[in-house]
Amino acid sequence: MDLQDARVLVAGASGALGGQLVDLLHERGARVVAAGRDADRTAAVAARVGTEPLLFDAVDTDSCRATVTAAADQLGGLDALVVCVGVAGFGPAVEADDAVVEELFAVDVLGPMALVRAASAAMGDRGTVVVLSAILADLPTARMAEYSAAKSALATWLEVLRREERRRLTVIDVRPPHLDTGLDGRALAGEPPRLPAPFPSAEVVTAVVEAMEADRREVVFEDGALVVR
């Protein structure tokens, strides 16, 4: 897609990765609305790109849909949606708390789905959807069963969406490795297992924008490097 004057909503803009994506998309010429859960951080990101911030909670699917509507109203339409919301949870699978599992799936699966469905309706005949799942969709990991399952579910849903809407939507699934965003330190529950050294989030941001501009279908991590294909 041509990012010059493209109308883009970044959901999850108050996070480290989302904030960087807002900045780079704006730098490439897009008109970007920043939506996030933290009011102060979202407002700071929005101020950098000259749009009005939007607040939403990924647990609430009504909030997700309303945010897409508000972004489309602000921009006069919508050409692309970038979803980078997520929470982690750690610990043995048989010890997981039901409430924690429900919240994890709400944020990591149901919220992104609701955002994408609403954006699809707002985009009309053509649009781009970018959703960050994780390498866990390909490599489920011990003591991260629920987190792995959520990312696998999201990646599977995106693959089916791509097939169903292939004539209308460009669907890009981004499956990065463990990143330097500090997500593991903000888990809903448990302590993380031993993880590899964090990969630079700035490289993921660059790859995402490259994938959008080239109408690719995924960004994956192979042999220690990000691959856009």
Side-chain angles (χ1 to χ4, degrees), residues 14-228:
S14 58
L17 197 64
Q20 293 179 68
L21 280 163
V22 170
D23 290 338
L24 185 54
L25 288 165
H26 175 69
E27 181 181 312
R28 297 291 176 90
R31 298 163 55 205
V32 190
V33 166
R37 186 175 62 175
D38 184 281
D40 291 340
R41 290 201 298 267
T42 305
V45 173
R48 296 199 298 264
V49 299
T51 52
E52 292 298 317
L54 299 175
L55 297 182
F56 81 105
D57 188 343
V59 172
D60 184 347
T61 54
D62 288 338
S63 174
C64 292
R65 288 190 291 269
T67 296
V68 172
T69 299
D73 288 345
Q74 185 178 159
L75 294 169
L78 196 64
D79 300 306
L81 167 71
V82 180
V83 182
C84 44
V85 300
V87 291
F90 306 112
V94 296
E95 297 178 9
D97 180 87
D98 289 343
V100 169
V101 176
E102 288 177 5
E103 183 173 352
L104 189 149
F105 270 78
V107 175
D108 290 349
V109 185
L110 302 182
M113 286 180 177
L115 287 162
V116 170
R117 283 193 292 266
S120 173
M123 286 175 182
D125 294 336
R126 189 66 188 165
T128 296
V129 171
V130 183
V131 182
L132 275 85
S133 55
I135 194 173
L136 295 175
D138 302 313
L139 298 172
T141 301
R143 301 183 68 85
M144 302 171 71
E146 294 73 31
Y147 193 25
S148 297
K151 295 302 185 180
S152 295
L154 181 59
T156 298
W157 187 80
L158 292 170
E159 175 61 30
V160 174
L161 175 71
R162 182 184 297 114
R163 296 173 188 172
E164 291 179 345
E165 303 295 335
R166 61 188 178 277
R167 293 183 176 85
R168 193 171 67 87
L169 294 180
T170 297
V171 179
I172 305 171
D173 180 8
V174 183
R175 303 195 294 278
H178 171 51
L179 299 177
D180 59 1
T181 58
L183 182 66
D184 54 316
R186 301 188 299 273
L188 293 176
E191 295 296 325
R194 180 175 295 180
L195 297 170
F199 192 79
S201 56
E203 293 192 27
V204 176
V205 169
T206 300
V208 167
V209 174
E210 176 187 336
M212 293 176 71
E213 291 180 320
D215 293 326
R216 301 303 187 186
R217 60 186 179 89
E218 59 186 8
V219 178
V220 297
F221 190 69
E222 295 180 348
D223 300 322
L226 292 173
V227 178
V228 177

